[in-house]
Amino acid sequence: MGDNSAKLDVGSKQVPLPIHNGTIGPDVADISKLYAETGMFTYDPGFTSTASCESKITYIDGDEGVLLYRGYPIEQLAEHGDFLETCYLLLYGELPTHSQKADFDDRVTHHTMLHEQMARFYSGFRRDAHPMAVMVGVVGALSAFYHDSTDIADPYQRMVASVRMIAKMPTIAAMAYKYSIGQPFIYPRNELDFTSNFLNMCFAVPCETYKVNPVLSRAMDRIFILHADHEQNASTSTVRLAGSSGANPFACIAAGIACLWGPAHGGANEAALEMLQEIGSVDRIPEFVDRAKDKDDPFRLMGFGHRVYKNYDPRARVMQRTCHEVLAEVGIKDDPLLDVALELERIALHDEYFIEKRLYPNIDFYSGITLKALGFPTTMFTVLFALARTVGWIAQWKEMIEDPKQKIGRPRQLYTGATRRDYVPMSSRK
Ligand code: SDX
């Protein structure tokens, strides 16, 4: 990494800021010595211009609408690979050979069962609990059951914890769904592939044989690939910050799930479908577009806009194609929600406000329609996002732990509160 420097004038002092170059993408100005040399902090709420770390995992070019996992374009991975191949790539950095893939699939398959006592956790929740609340609770509790993979200093335990997380998330997610609909839990089936096993655990019942539809399983697997990782988004940054204190990986993933739940982030797929349902028909779209543009109205077009993509989210294109494929396979000829979505996208992409602010559909815009057609209730949409994103979270967590420069994350602040003042006894207060 070649270094040169930017210069910052602070008062009468000129402070050199070393410039670090990446393999692709923006250079960075290293400000790590700024406070020691100037007594000043930088200020960047929301981290719009701040690189929190160095990473080799995922690259996004927001202007060009490019997403690479370890250098491979998301479109190619979604087209040609499967989700566990993407998991291997994100974790190990290279596409697996045939034998490496077979070994990885086997390791994941043989970690899909959950400690039997964990099933009792679910009965502590109300049946109508949001499944994301269940996911935060149950995943956080994993560290109470898998003590033998919480020593983060042991590379072997780090990889075991990684494989356990990837393998058990589908089981935990399917159990959250079954619990919410009052049906018995379905155990994993080792003869099924990763995603077929997940669909079987969600939709099979003990009283009859369930046949997984291979077209729908392929579509679900592709959706998992699209959601697997995404650079330093809010939930990944949460996982990294939690991990920087030395917290165990299960607790860090639970923190990531909690952050992903928000409607500005992973909760947008649930919010986007609810928005489409609220709009209801094509003729009501202008009213909602006007509301989205109204500064005094908190309403936003859910599934639109992105901190990084100022072009079409490449995942949204693949998701739109998958949406059509799933609707056709399940026999939905014309879904009014899809009509609203397509017309809303057409209108928004020709509207000056959205053009000027460079707001395009993101991955959440079409995922809700697709997941609903796959048979999932809206409340499960973000759970599916968390299931897929677990590999990204754990790969980024591992990279952070294995970074020799790693230290606890501890941002500072611009303080604008009260200056020092003395305590006033109650008797002296008015
Ligand atoms: C995900 O970071 C990631 O990588 C996330 C993710 C991942 O894979 O991890 O890609 C997944 O979270 C996708 C995003 C899902 N969220 C939504 O779809 C919710 C709707 N979108 C917005 O809330 C918003 O676009 C964000 C949160 C996604 C991005 O917000 P930013 O980067 O902070 O941008 P901003 O809020 O400053 O918006 C810039 C301008 C503002 O107007 P001005 O103040 O400049 O006048 O654009 C406007 C916003 O009001 N704007 C919108 C809008 N999004 C932004 N106006 C209407 N509708 C929208 N959706």
Side-chain angles (χ1 to χ4, degrees), residues 75-148:
E75 298 88 345
Q76 295 180 20
L77 291 168
E79 184 63 33
H80 303 298
D82 66 26
F83 178 64
L84 284 190
E85 178 185 71
T86 290
C87 290
Y88 185 98
L89 173 66
L90 290 169
L91 279 173
Y92 289 95
E94 298 297 335
L95 289 170
T97 61
H98 190 274
S99 61
Q100 287 167 336
K101 177 69 167 52
D103 167 63
F104 187 71
D105 286 5
D106 186 67
R107 279 188 283 149
V108 171
T109 298
H110 289 89
H111 276 292
T112 50
M113 280 182 70
L114 209 52
H115 190 295
E116 192 63 14
Q117 264 182 247
M118 291 206 78
R120 294 187 210 151
F121 258 92
Y122 290 79
S123 52
F125 290 96
R126 285 171 42 141
R127 289 280 180 182
D128 62 353
H130 194 292
M132 282 297 278
V134 176
M135 296 299 288
V136 171
V138 173
V139 171
L142 285 172
S143 48
F145 286 81
Y146 296 104
H147 299 286
D148 61 339

Side-chain angles (χ1 to χ4, degrees), residues 279-300:
I279 294 173
S281 62
V282 168
D283 58 340
R284 292 195 64 203
I285 290 175
E287 166 198 338
F288 283 85
V289 169
D290 290 343
R291 284 187 57 194
K293 290 154 53 173
D294 178 356
K295 278 276 148 263
D296 299 324
D297 187 332
F299 174 77
R300 286 195 163 180

Side-chain angles (χ1 to χ4, degrees), residues 40-91:
M40 266 175 55
F41 299 139
T42 57
Y43 182 64
D44 183 16
F47 310 121
T48 55
S49 305
T50 295
S52 61
C53 64
E54 176 184 338
S55 179
K56 300 178 179 357
I57 298 175
T58 292
Y59 175 72
I60 304 172
D61 182 330
D63 290 330
E64 297 303 317
V66 168
L67 171 58
L68 309 176
Y69 288 167
R70 299 284 190 179
Y72 294 97
I74 187 69
E75 298 88 345
Q76 295 180 20
L77 291 168
E79 184 63 33
H80 303 298
D82 66 26
F83 178 64
L84 284 190
E85 178 185 71
T86 290
C87 290
Y88 185 98
L89 173 66
L90 290 169
L91 279 173

Side-chain angles (χ1 to χ4, degrees), residues 230 233-234 263-266 268 292 295 300-307 310 315 353-354 357 359 362-364 385 389:
H230 213 238
N233 59 83
H265 189 14
K295 278 276 148 263
R300 286 195 163 180
L301 285 188
M302 302 315 281
F304 257 80
H306 199 277
R307 171 61 58 77
K310 301 306 173 191
R315 304 169 297 176
Y353 173 91
F354 292 88
K357 292 185 187 300
L359 302 174
N362 60 51
I363 189 168
D364 296 306
F385 194 149
R389 185 53 58 88

Side-chain angles (χ1 to χ4, degrees), residues 41-42 83 113 177 194 197 210 226 234 241 273 385 413 429:
F41 299 139
T42 57
F83 178 64
M113 280 182 70
Y177 172 55
F194 180 89
N197 179 45
Y210 176 77
L226 297 177
L241 197 55
L273 191 84
F385 194 149
Q413 63 181 9
R429 294 177 211 164

